[in-house]
């Protein structure tokens, strides 16, 4: 393959910036713009040793003092020879260095091309490659831990044994069929019933983790609802940890939706504060109320907030109806510092908590409740499915295995049963890359950033 090069660090000033190259001859290409302090060619540098060098631009001028690392195949990220040039993090220096590398014979790497080469060269399977994106995008320690587990092969270790077991079944059957004169043990389909049932259980358990995996990867879409001056914006500020929204005693201060990403325990909330729900002749506020109601229909969690020091009003009832549109709804009786006239039994929610957004009391109970509903269960080790493509393939594989078990119980012939087993193998192979088509592979790596 030809030599590819890219800037592997963010395009903004920083302490360090990295130029990355991969491909046979990359040390020769990099050596044309990298002058080693010891006078030796970069291609003769010790394997994986940091060397002091000067970086030259296209005109041969020194533009930075850098560290160069030459790593030889196959023990590299891509499985090819690689070079990394560690520069000072000036975008201008990195751009000039990259331009010089292009003039020296490298070409611009495409999105995810380094990781794609790692996959094509057998350095990682497709589950590991896709987890690299999740690791880069992780917004919480749990999300990072799950992605890191998958980069380390957690999903592969679950799926490969199932694929191999099914391959053994199919190969045994075809061996008996194709070589009747050989001394091959008889094929008895019933002997594999327990193994197929175990595979079905494993696949459905894995698929069942996907819902929580989505919350882990992208967070929970949450909305705060209530009538004006119930304390919605104060709650958002309390959860965000700073004055994100203007809070006043004037009803209708928030006239549009305000979004903020907050951490509540181990759960990331994509939290939206909304305009207070009420009848209004103010056109702009009315538009905000409409957005509030629409936001509740799209949310996965709604937090209904009411002023506990005042009786429930028709506006509260309208907000309650909007909150109940979400799959999960929690009632919050706010302003507990002023005393409460509302009882939890007055609200139609499974969970009702008494809080004071002003001083933060009761928010620990809210954190516990949200973690119980959306948090990960047990150790986060890469066994939680977060990828939509993988989840669809796991579901297809599980249904195919169940189809094989059903055909077996119906007394159908082995060849009919094994059609479903082979379909399950194909679906599992799409997850790991053993049977994946080229167009799917290309689409997967288009999600990556350039330089990775």
């Amino acid at each position: 393959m030809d030599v590819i090069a890219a800037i592997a660090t963010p395009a903004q000033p920083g302490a360090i910036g990295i130029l990355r190259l991969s491909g046979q001859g990359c040390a020769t290409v990099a050596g044309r713009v990298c002058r080693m302090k010891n006078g030796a060619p970069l291609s003769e540098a010790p394997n994986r040793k940091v060397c002091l060098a000067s970086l030259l631009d296209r005109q041969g001028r020194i533009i930075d003092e850098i560290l160069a690392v030459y790593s030889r195949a196959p023990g590299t990220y891509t499985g090819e020879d690689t070079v990394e040039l560690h520069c000072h993090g000036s975008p201008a220096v990195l751009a000039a260095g990259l331009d010089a590398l292009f003039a020296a014979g490298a070409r611009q790497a495409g999105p995810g091309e380094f990781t794609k080469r790692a996959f094509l060269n057998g350095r990682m399977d497709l589950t590991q490659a896709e987890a690299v994106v999740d690791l880069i995008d992780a917004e919480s320690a749990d999300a990072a831990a799950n992605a890191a587990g998958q980069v380390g092969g957690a999903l592969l270790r679950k799926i490969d044994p199932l694929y191999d077991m099914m391959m053994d079944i199919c190969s045994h059957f075809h061996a008996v069929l194709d070589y009747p004169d050989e001394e091959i043990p008889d094929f008895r389909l019933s002997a594999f019933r327990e193994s197929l049932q175990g595979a079905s259980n494993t696949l459905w358990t894995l698929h069942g983790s996907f819902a929580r995996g989505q919350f882990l990867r992208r967070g929970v879409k949450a909305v705060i609802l209530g009538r004006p001056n119930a304390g919605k914006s104060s709650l958002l500020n309390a959860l965000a940890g700073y004055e994100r929204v203007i809070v006043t005693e004037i009803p209708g201060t928030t006239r549009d939706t305000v979004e903020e990403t907050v951490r509540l325990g181990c759960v990331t909330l994509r939290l939206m504060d909304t305009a207070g729900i009420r009848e209004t002749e103010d056109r702009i506020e009315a538009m905000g109320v409409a957005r509030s109601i629409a936001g509740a229909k799209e949310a996965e969690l709604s937090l209904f907030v009411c002023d506990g020091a005042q009786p429930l009003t028709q506006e509260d009832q309208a907000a309650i109806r909007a909150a109940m549109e979400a799959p999960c709804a929690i009632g919050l009786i706010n302003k507990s510092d002023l005393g409460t006239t509302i009882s939890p039994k007055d609200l139609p929610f499974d969970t009702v908590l008494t809080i004071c957004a002003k001083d933060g009391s009761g928010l620990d109970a809210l954190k516990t409740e949200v973690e119980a509903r959306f948090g990960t269960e047990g150790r986060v080790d890469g066994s939680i499915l977060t990828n939509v493509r993988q989840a669809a393939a796991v579901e297809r594989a599980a249904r195919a295995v169940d189809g094989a078990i059903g055909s077996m119980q119906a007394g159908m012939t082995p060849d009919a049963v094994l059609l479903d087993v082979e379909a399950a193998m194909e679906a599992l192979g799409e997850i790991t890359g053993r049977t994946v088509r080229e167009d799917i592979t290309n689409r997967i790596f288009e999600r990556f950033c350039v330089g990775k």
Side-chain angles (χ1 to χ4, degrees):
M1 294 184 179
D2 50 359
V3 176
I4 57 174
I7 299 171
T9 44
Q12 58 190 25
I16 297 173
I18 299 175
L19 295 168
R20 175 178 290 169
L21 300 91
S22 183
Q24 185 176 1
C26 65
T28 300
V29 171
R32 294 170 184 153
V33 302
C34 179
R35 183 183 298 163
M36 305 288 285
K37 290 295 186 179
N38 63 8
L42 177 59
S43 58
E44 296 178 7
N47 189 38
R48 299 183 183 178
K49 298 294 183 181
V50 176
C51 303
L52 188 62
S54 298
L55 181 66
L56 312 179
D57 66 8
R58 185 187 282 258
Q59 287 76 39
R61 298 174 300 180
I62 296 177
I63 56 174
D64 199 4
E65 299 297 320
I66 67 170
L67 299 175
V69 182
Y70 176 29
S71 302
R72 291 167 173 81
T76 66
Y77 180 78
T78 62
E80 305 170 334
D81 286 354
T82 63
V83 171
E84 285 192 353
L85 306 179
H86 295 241
C87 315
H88 292 92
S90 162
V93 167
L94 294 170
L98 185 63
D99 181 62
L101 289 171
F102 294 159
R107 70 164 176 82
Q108 174 68 59
E113 191 167 359
F114 289 93
T115 305
K116 183 177 182 180
R117 289 191 176 195
F119 167 67
L120 295 175
N121 291 328
R123 293 293 294 170
M124 59 177 63
D125 80 301
L126 209 51
T127 65
Q128 294 169 299
E130 289 186 286
V132 171
V133 176
D134 287 343
L135 186 55
I136 292 171
D137 292 341
E139 296 185 9
S140 69
D142 281 350
N146 192 68
Q150 293 183 1
V151 171
L155 280 182
L156 181 66
R157 289 190 291 273
K158 279 182 173 291
I159 292 170
D160 254 10
L162 303 182
Y163 186 98
D164 291 340
M165 177 270 293
M166 296 179 201
M167 184 167 60
D168 288 343
I169 295 175
C170 293
S171 60
H172 187 180
F173 172 74
H174 288 295
V176 171
L177 192 66
D178 295 340
Y179 304 101
D181 297 331
E182 299 290 335
E183 294 184 0
I184 301 174
D186 291 340
F187 181 82
R188 294 185 298 109
L189 192 58
S190 58
F192 303 107
R193 186 193 306 271
E194 186 175 340
S195 296
L196 289 174
Q197 187 59 60
S200 173
N201 295 341
T202 298
L203 291 170
W204 282 119
T205 298
L206 181 59
H207 186 266
S209 71
F210 178 63
R212 285 184 181 263
Q214 287 292 281
F215 299 142
L216 181 67
R217 186 179 67 84
R218 60 166 171 74
V220 179
K221 294 180 181 178
V223 61
I224 303 175
L225 294 165
R227 65 178 173 87
N229 269 20
K232 301 182 301 302
S233 296
S234 296
L235 176 61
L236 177 61
N237 289 341
L239 296 177
Y242 73 105
E243 296 297 314
R244 173 65 178 84
V245 186
I246 296 173
V247 176
T248 73
E249 296 180 357
I250 302 171
T253 300
T254 302
R255 303 171 76 183
D256 198 357
T257 55
V258 179
E259 298 183 13
E260 181 70 15
T261 298
V262 304
R263 291 282 297 168
L264 201 56
C266 67
V267 179
T268 299
L269 296 182
R270 306 289 186 188
L271 194 57
M272 181 171 68
D273 182 23
T274 63
I277 295 179
R278 66 172 178 174
E279 294 291 335
T280 177
E281 295 182 359
D282 185 308
R283 182 182 175 189
I284 297 177
E285 186 180 355
M287 292 173 65
V289 172
R291 288 190 179 186
S292 300
I293 296 172
K297 294 180 179 179
E298 297 175 358
E300 293 152 335
L301 167 67
S302 65
L303 301 176
F304 166 75
V305 182
C306 64
D307 184 344
Q310 300 183 25
L312 292 173
T313 67
Q314 289 186 347
E315 293 170 345
D316 285 312
Q317 297 297 339
I320 288 172
R321 289 192 294 272
M324 296 295 284
E325 294 282 346
C328 178
I330 296 175
L332 301 174
I333 301 174
N334 191 28
K335 304 186 181 181
S336 60
D337 57 323
L338 302 179
T340 58
T341 62
I342 300 173
S343 168
K345 66 181 181 180
D346 295 330
L347 301 177
F349 302 103
D350 294 336
T351 299
V352 178
L353 304 173
T354 299
I355 68 167
C356 178
K358 184 177 180 180
D359 63 20
S361 62
L363 295 187
D364 284 343
L366 177 59
K367 180 194 75 171
T368 300
E369 185 65 29
V370 170
E371 284 185 319
R373 296 184 184 227
F374 298 101
T376 54
E377 297 175 344
R379 185 169 171 229
V380 180
D381 57 2
S383 60
I384 300 174
L385 203 59
T386 60
N387 184 289
V388 175
R389 185 191 73 84
Q390 293 171 359
V394 167
E395 183 178 13
R396 292 202 317 273
R399 293 190 184 282
V401 171
D402 287 350
I405 294 172
S407 297
M408 189 185 303
Q409 292 171 341
M412 299 184 70
T413 57
D415 57 331
V417 173
L418 293 184
L419 285 175
D420 281 325
V421 174
E422 290 172 351
M425 288 177 59
E426 182 176 358
L428 294 179
E430 287 183 11
I431 299 172
T432 61
R434 294 172 83 161
T435 60
V436 71
R437 301 193 311 272
E438 183 178 357
D439 59 332
I440 294 177
T441 303
N442 291 334
R443 190 158 60 247
I444 287 169
F445 288 101
E446 287 172 357
R447 298 173 52 214
F448 284 67
C449 58
V450 173
K452 194 61 181 178

